[in-house]
Amino acid sequence: MGNTAVKRIGVLTSGGDAPGMNAAIRAVVRTALNKGIDCIGIRRGWSGLINGDFVKLDSGSVGHIINKGGTILYTARCPEFLDRKGRAKAIATCKMLGIDGIVAIGGDGTFRGALALTRQIAESGYKLPVVGVPATIDNDIGCSNYTIGFDTAANTAIECIDKLRDTMQSHERCSVVEVMGRHAGFLALYVGISVGATAVLIPEREVDFDRDIVEKIRSARLAGTTHFMIVVAEGAGSAVEIGKRIHEEIGIDPRVTVLGHIQRGGAPTGRDRETASRMGYEAVNALLADRGNRIIGTKEGSIVDLDMEEALAMVKNLEMYRYEVLEALTPSGT
Ligand code: ADP
């Protein structure tokens, strides 16, 4: 049964930015407009909803953005939204603007905000469905195999590390590279496998310096390797500290590189553009089909939508099998 009540959709990006957010905004706006639904862009995430910071979006306003990193709607973190009063202001803004459906593009925090908002809306008896679209380079959303931005960030890191590898190989050096991932090692492990890292440190696996670094370097050395690449997820430790310890304990002087925010930028890959386009399209369809309060996800390549509450209770564990693959492909000698 269609929900003919939806006449105007508000779309926002919130939390950490991810390449492909623009493609998702474009997909939401174009899908909505082509179905005769108005679109309002809410700027700076949840804070824009509180402050009435918005822009009317037409088809042209999302032209030439599918290939751009960042987000034309800006993104922000909004402590005020943690509070009922802040969310009450956001609901008032929606009423004032005549918004009767929201698409929130972001990560776990953005969706927790969305859930808090939907609960408060339900208490007030008002009808305002919210649909979340997962966009984070960490790929750590439980209900979705894939999140927008991961592929671009991984490829950026891989390209940077390939460049480092050339110089490390020439000088027969050790490189320690820190990639993003405060709580999740999906990016670090994917990148580590792809660059042929000597070792990868991830938050999901307690770091044992002797086992995970000393032994790995020793073994690779015995197999004839003269350069070593250690990839560290930021949540597994500081690359600078690990570099120092390698110097102190092994006697080699590593070069440390923290890739940082460079991983968040750049033109989104085809995978991110295409996934964002499908997710944005399905987010609008969910609103129009009266399936509000949902989170969009991917499952075996297809787009699905799940109840927001259930989706947020889901946990995605890193497959330790991938760690085994990494280890199986590292040169080792005795
Ligand atoms: P991400 O979406 O990338 O995980 P954050 O964790 O920074 O980003 O969350 C984005 C915003 O979502 C926060 O600044 C806050 O406004 C809102 N938010 C996060 N958690 C909650 C919560 N439990 N209740 C209400 N709002 C929240």
Side-chain angles (χ1 to χ4, degrees):
M1 194 65 114
N3 176 16
T4 47
V6 177
K7 295 270 184 290
R8 180 168 291 165
I9 291 176
V11 55
L12 59 87
T13 49
S14 152
D17 62 332
M21 278 182 158
N22 277 329
I25 296 168
R26 171 182 177 275
V28 170
V29 173
R30 291 267 167 92
T31 306
L33 292 176
N34 285 332
K35 290 178 189 261
I37 314 285
D38 261 7
C39 254
I40 305 267
I42 310 294
R43 286 190 290 225
R44 302 176 178 86
W46 296 124
S47 67
L49 211 52
I50 291 176
N51 303 321
D53 182 4
F54 69 93
V55 57
K56 184 121 176 33
L57 296 171
D58 58 22
S59 203
S61 50
V62 292
H64 308 294
I65 66 166
I66 194 168
N67 55 334
K68 301 248 163 50
T71 158
I72 59 161
L73 292 176
Y74 309 103
T75 182
R77 297 200 154 90
C78 174
E80 221 188 325
F81 206 71
L82 298 172
D83 190 68
R84 283 187 68 84
K85 274 196 218 147
R87 296 195 295 272
K89 279 195 211 161
I91 296 170
T93 304
C94 290
K95 286 183 182 167
M96 189 256 299
L97 293 176
I99 290 174
D100 37 36
I102 294 176
V103 178
I105 304 164
D108 189 65
T110 298
F111 299 158
R112 304 227 167 257
L115 182 63
L117 181 68
T118 58
R119 283 182 177 154
Q120 204 164 318
I121 291 167
E123 284 166 25
S124 70
Y126 186 57
K127 183 162 184 186
L128 178 59
V130 182
V131 175
V133 171
T136 159
I137 67 162
D138 293 330
N139 201 19
D140 61 347
I141 300 295
C143 69
S144 187
N145 291 149
Y146 187 75
T147 62
I148 298 164
F150 177 80
D151 190 56
T152 307
N155 279 292
T156 299
I158 290 164
E159 193 186 333
C160 292
I161 295 174
D162 282 348
K163 288 181 175 154
L164 284 170
R165 173 198 273 272
D166 290 344
T167 159
M168 292 299 130
Q169 188 266 335
S170 308
H171 284 276
E172 300 178 284
R173 276 211 175 108
C174 174
S175 189
V176 182
V177 183
E178 187 176 305
V179 301
M180 280 191 164
R182 248 178 282 159
H183 306 289
F186 296 104
L187 186 66
L189 196 48
Y190 185 97
V191 167
I193 291 173
S194 306
V195 300
T198 315
V200 177
L201 307 183
I202 48 175
E204 291 86 347
R205 192 172 181 269
E206 202 178 332
V207 177
D208 175 331
F209 192 80
D210 282 340
R211 179 196 63 192
D212 298 333
I213 306 260
V214 179
E215 198 40 46
K216 290 278 179 347
I217 290 179
R218 190 189 72 85
S219 183
R221 219 180 214 168
L222 286 172
T225 306
T226 55
H227 62 282
F228 314 99
M229 179 63 68
I230 316 292
V231 174
V232 184
E234 59 183 336
S238 143
V240 173
E241 293 306 316
I242 289 159
K244 268 192 210 153
R245 209 164 152 194
I246 290 175
H247 192 199
E248 283 159 17
E249 296 191 24
I250 311 180
I252 52 180
D253 189 12
R255 293 292 179 266
V256 174
T257 308
V258 178
L259 292 182
H261 283 83
I262 203 156
Q263 294 158 96
R264 291 257 191 94
T269 60
R271 181 174 187 187
D272 280 328
R273 297 179 199 195
E274 197 266 351
T275 309
S277 299
R278 285 191 292 143
M279 285 183 168
Y281 169 73
E282 292 300 349
V284 174
N285 284 344
L287 284 177
L288 296 188
D290 211 4
R291 290 200 313 278
N293 302 346
R294 313 288 288 177
I295 305 279
I296 301 291
T298 61
K299 194 175 174 195
E300 287 151 19
S302 298
I303 306 293
V304 292
D305 58 81
L306 293 103
D307 171 74
M308 192 176 279
E309 195 130 7
E310 284 170 26
L312 288 184
M314 290 166 81
V315 176
K316 178 161 62 180
N317 290 317
L318 190 124
E319 291 169 85
M320 278 305 160
Y321 154 81
R322 289 176 191 252
Y323 203 88
E324 284 168 35
V325 172
L326 174 90
E327 291 195 313
L329 305 185
T330 313
S332 64
T334 46

mmCIF file of all heavy atoms in Angstrom, residues 7-33:
data_model
loop_
_atom_site.group_PDB
_atom_site.id
_atom_site.type_symbol
_atom_site.label_atom_id
_atom_site.label_comp_id
_atom_site.label_asym_id
_atom_site.label_seq_id
_atom_site.Cartn_x
_atom_site.Cartn_y
_atom_site.Cartn_z
ATOM 1 N N LYS A 7 4.745 13.965 0.776
ATOM 2 C CA LYS A 7 4.756 14.969 -0.299
ATOM 3 C C LYS A 7 6.093 15.693 -0.354
ATOM 4 O O LYS A 7 6.469 16.268 -1.363
ATOM 5 C CB LYS A 7 3.657 16.027 -0.040
ATOM 6 C CG LYS A 7 2.247 15.488 -0.107
ATOM 7 C CD LYS A 7 1.714 15.604 -1.535
ATOM 8 C CE LYS A 7 0.273 15.174 -1.648
ATOM 9 N NZ LYS A 7 0.057 13.748 -1.477
ATOM 10 N N ARG A 8 6.787 15.704 0.789
ATOM 11 C CA ARG A 8 8.051 16.448 0.845
ATOM 12 C C ARG A 8 9.051 15.682 1.719
ATOM 13 O O ARG A 8 8.785 15.417 2.897
ATOM 14 C CB ARG A 8 7.793 17.834 1.420
ATOM 15 C CG ARG A 8 9.038 18.674 1.526
ATOM 16 C CD ARG A 8 8.709 20.112 1.829
ATOM 17 N NE ARG A 8 8.061 20.743 0.691
ATOM 18 C CZ ARG A 8 7.402 21.898 0.749
ATOM 19 N NH1 ARG A 8 7.282 22.525 1.897
ATOM 20 N NH2 ARG A 8 6.866 22.412 -0.325
ATOM 21 N N ILE A 9 10.197 15.382 1.109
ATOM 22 C CA ILE A 9 11.229 14.615 1.833
ATOM 23 C C ILE A 9 12.377 15.547 2.216
ATOM 24 O O ILE A 9 12.809 16.379 1.418
ATOM 25 C CB ILE A 9 11.763 13.475 0.930
ATOM 26 C CG1 ILE A 9 10.680 12.409 0.731
ATOM 27 C CG2 ILE A 9 13.021 12.842 1.501
ATOM 28 C CD1 ILE A 9 11.090 11.291 -0.216
ATOM 29 N N GLY A 10 12.865 15.381 3.433
ATOM 30 C CA GLY A 10 14.079 16.081 3.853
ATOM 31 C C GLY A 10 15.233 15.093 3.794
ATOM 32 O O GLY A 10 15.097 13.948 4.228
ATOM 33 N N VAL A 11 16.354 15.524 3.222
ATOM 34 C CA VAL A 11 17.517 14.627 3.143
ATOM 35 C C VAL A 11 18.708 15.307 3.820
ATOM 36 O O VAL A 11 18.906 16.509 3.689
ATOM 37 C CB VAL A 11 17.820 14.222 1.664
ATOM 38 C CG1 VAL A 11 18.015 15.426 0.759
ATOM 39 C CG2 VAL A 11 19.034 13.301 1.572
ATOM 40 N N LEU A 12 19.467 14.528 4.582
ATOM 41 C CA LEU A 12 20.627 15.094 5.278
ATOM 42 C C LEU A 12 21.776 14.092 5.328
ATOM 43 O O LEU A 12 21.570 12.878 5.193
ATOM 44 C CB LEU A 12 20.248 15.528 6.699
ATOM 45 C CG LEU A 12 19.688 14.486 7.672
ATOM 46 C CD1 LEU A 12 20.799 13.767 8.417
ATOM 47 C CD2 LEU A 12 18.763 15.167 8.680
ATOM 48 N N THR A 13 22.986 14.628 5.487
ATOM 49 C CA THR A 13 24.168 13.785 5.724
ATOM 50 C C THR A 13 24.709 14.174 7.101
ATOM 51 O O THR A 13 24.727 15.352 7.453
ATOM 52 C CB THR A 13 25.252 14.008 4.640
ATOM 53 O OG1 THR A 13 25.481 15.410 4.464
ATOM 54 C CG2 THR A 13 24.830 13.408 3.312
ATOM 55 N N SER A 14 25.136 13.182 7.866
ATOM 56 C CA SER A 14 25.493 13.456 9.256
ATOM 57 C C SER A 14 26.667 12.589 9.700
ATOM 58 O O SER A 14 26.933 11.541 9.099
ATOM 59 C CB SER A 14 24.247 13.188 10.114
ATOM 60 O OG SER A 14 24.567 12.814 11.424
ATOM 61 N N GLY A 15 27.377 13.044 10.721
ATOM 62 C CA GLY A 15 28.518 12.281 11.253
ATOM 63 C C GLY A 15 29.730 12.368 10.335
ATOM 64 O O GLY A 15 29.907 13.359 9.630
ATOM 65 N N GLY A 16 30.534 11.319 10.333
ATOM 66 C CA GLY A 16 31.747 11.326 9.497
ATOM 67 C C GLY A 16 31.387 11.273 8.025
ATOM 68 O O GLY A 16 30.475 10.547 7.637
ATOM 69 N N ASP A 17 32.071 12.065 7.203
ATOM 70 C CA ASP A 17 31.735 12.040 5.776
ATOM 71 C C ASP A 17 32.339 10.811 5.104
ATOM 72 O O ASP A 17 33.266 10.191 5.627
ATOM 73 C CB ASP A 17 32.176 13.332 5.069
ATOM 74 C CG ASP A 17 33.675 13.542 5.110
ATOM 75 O OD1 ASP A 17 34.311 13.067 6.055
ATOM 76 O OD2 ASP A 17 34.202 14.181 4.181
ATOM 77 N N ALA A 18 31.778 10.462 3.972
ATOM 78 C CA ALA A 18 32.255 9.295 3.233
ATOM 79 C C ALA A 18 32.066 9.559 1.745
ATOM 80 O O ALA A 18 31.023 10.105 1.355
ATOM 81 C CB ALA A 18 31.463 8.051 3.646
ATOM 82 N N PRO A 19 33.057 9.190 0.916
ATOM 83 C CA PRO A 19 32.887 9.399 -0.519
ATOM 84 C C PRO A 19 31.704 8.584 -1.028
ATOM 85 O O PRO A 19 31.589 7.398 -0.710
ATOM 86 C CB PRO A 19 34.200 8.888 -1.135
ATOM 87 C CG PRO A 19 35.134 8.634 0.007
ATOM 88 C CD PRO A 19 34.326 8.538 1.263
ATOM 89 N N GLY A 20 30.845 9.234 -1.779
ATOM 90 C CA GLY A 20 29.633 8.552 -2.260
ATOM 91 C C GLY A 20 28.377 9.137 -1.607
ATOM 92 O O GLY A 20 27.267 8.859 -2.042
ATOM 93 N N MET A 21 28.578 9.961 -0.565
ATOM 94 C CA MET A 21 27.395 10.591 0.049
ATOM 95 C C MET A 21 26.657 11.442 -0.976
ATOM 96 O O MET A 21 25.425 11.465 -1.020
ATOM 97 C CB MET A 21 27.812 11.458 1.243
ATOM 98 C CG MET A 21 28.019 10.674 2.533
ATOM 99 S SD MET A 21 28.455 11.773 3.896
ATOM 100 C CE MET A 21 27.968 10.753 5.309
ATOM 101 N N ASN A 22 27.436 12.140 -1.833
ATOM 102 C CA ASN A 22 26.782 12.982 -2.848
ATOM 103 C C ASN A 22 25.948 12.151 -3.812
ATOM 104 O O ASN A 22 24.857 12.560 -4.212
ATOM 105 C CB ASN A 22 27.835 13.769 -3.637
ATOM 106 C CG ASN A 22 28.252 15.037 -2.904
ATOM 107 O OD1 ASN A 22 27.450 15.635 -2.177
ATOM 108 N ND2 ASN A 22 29.497 15.449 -3.097
ATOM 109 N N ALA A 23 26.479 10.989 -4.181
ATOM 110 C CA ALA A 23 25.725 10.121 -5.096
ATOM 111 C C ALA A 23 24.422 9.671 -4.432
ATOM 112 O O ALA A 23 23.386 9.528 -5.101
ATOM 113 C CB ALA A 23 26.577 8.908 -5.484
ATOM 114 N N ALA A 24 24.469 9.472 -3.122
ATOM 115 C CA ALA A 24 23.252 9.074 -2.397
ATOM 116 C C ALA A 24 22.247 10.230 -2.352
ATOM 117 O O ALA A 24 21.042 10.022 -2.557
ATOM 118 C CB ALA A 24 23.609 8.606 -0.989
ATOM 119 N N ILE A 25 22.746 11.428 -2.088
ATOM 120 C CA ILE A 25 21.846 12.607 -2.076
ATOM 121 C C ILE A 25 21.180 12.741 -3.445
ATOM 122 O O ILE A 25 19.960 12.913 -3.561
ATOM 123 C CB ILE A 25 22.652 13.911 -1.786
ATOM 124 C CG1 ILE A 25 23.265 13.885 -0.387
ATOM 125 C CG2 ILE A 25 21.771 15.150 -1.986
ATOM 126 C CD1 ILE A 25 24.299 14.998 -0.139
ATOM 127 N N ARG A 26 22.001 12.644 -4.487
ATOM 128 C CA ARG A 26 21.474 12.767 -5.858
ATOM 129 C C ARG A 26 20.374 11.735 -6.125
ATOM 130 O O ARG A 26 19.324 12.063 -6.694
ATOM 131 C CB ARG A 26 22.633 12.590 -6.841
ATOM 132 C CG ARG A 26 22.219 12.482 -8.301
ATOM 133 C CD ARG A 26 23.467 12.250 -9.149
ATOM 134 N NE ARG A 26 23.155 12.064 -10.553
ATOM 135 C CZ ARG A 26 22.819 10.903 -11.109
ATOM 136 N NH1 ARG A 26 22.726 9.816 -10.343
ATOM 137 N NH2 ARG A 26 22.577 10.819 -12.395
ATOM 138 N N ALA A 27 20.639 10.505 -5.669
ATOM 139 C CA ALA A 27 19.667 9.433 -5.924
ATOM 140 C C ALA A 27 18.347 9.705 -5.199
ATOM 141 O O ALA A 27 17.265 9.505 -5.757
ATOM 142 C CB ALA A 27 20.253 8.088 -5.476
ATOM 143 N N VAL A 28 18.444 10.182 -3.969
ATOM 144 C CA VAL A 28 17.225 10.489 -3.202
ATOM 145 C C VAL A 28 16.441 11.597 -3.911
ATOM 146 O O VAL A 28 15.229 11.484 -4.146
ATOM 147 C CB VAL A 28 17.590 10.926 -1.757
ATOM 148 C CG1 VAL A 28 16.377 11.489 -1.024
ATOM 149 C CG2 VAL A 28 18.187 9.748 -0.972
ATOM 150 N N VAL A 29 17.162 12.656 -4.270
ATOM 151 C CA VAL A 29 16.491 13.826 -4.856
ATOM 152 C C VAL A 29 15.869 13.481 -6.208
ATOM 153 O O VAL A 29 14.688 13.770 -6.462
ATOM 154 C CB VAL A 29 17.502 15.000 -4.995
ATOM 155 C CG1 VAL A 29 16.882 16.168 -5.758
ATOM 156 C CG2 VAL A 29 17.975 15.445 -3.615
ATOM 157 N N ARG A 30 16.636 12.824 -7.070
ATOM 158 C CA ARG A 30 16.117 12.524 -8.415
ATOM 159 C C ARG A 30 14.948 11.538 -8.340
ATOM 160 O O ARG A 30 13.943 11.697 -9.040
ATOM 161 C CB ARG A 30 17.243 11.956 -9.287
ATOM 162 C CG ARG A 30 18.320 12.992 -9.624
ATOM 163 C CD ARG A 30 18.036 13.695 -10.941
ATOM 164 N NE ARG A 30 18.861 14.868 -11.130
ATOM 165 C CZ ARG A 30 20.032 14.874 -11.755
ATOM 166 N NH1 ARG A 30 20.537 13.752 -12.247
ATOM 167 N NH2 ARG A 30 20.712 16.004 -11.900
ATOM 168 N N THR A 31 15.080 10.523 -7.470
ATOM 169 C CA THR A 31 13.988 9.543 -7.348
ATOM 170 C C THR A 31 12.720 10.244 -6.864
ATOM 171 O O THR A 31 11.633 10.049 -7.420
ATOM 172 C CB THR A 31 14.359 8.412 -6.352
ATOM 173 O OG1 THR A 31 15.596 7.845 -6.746
ATOM 174 C CG2 THR A 31 13.293 7.333 -6.301
ATOM 175 N N ALA A 32 12.883 11.066 -5.843
ATOM 176 C CA ALA A 32 11.718 11.755 -5.276
ATOM 177 C C ALA A 32 11.079 12.670 -6.322
ATOM 178 O O ALA A 32 9.863 12.589 -6.571
ATOM 179 C CB ALA A 32 12.133 12.551 -4.046
ATOM 180 N N LEU A 33 11.899 13.509 -6.953
ATOM 181 C CA LEU A 33 11.339 14.474 -7.907
ATOM 182 C C LEU A 33 10.628 13.760 -9.055
ATOM 183 O O LEU A 33 9.556 14.184 -9.493
ATOM 184 C CB LEU A 33 12.444 15.384 -8.453
ATOM 185 C CG LEU A 33 13.082 16.358 -7.444
ATOM 186 C CD1 LEU A 33 14.226 17.129 -8.092
ATOM 187 C CD2 LEU A 33 12.052 17.336 -6.870
#
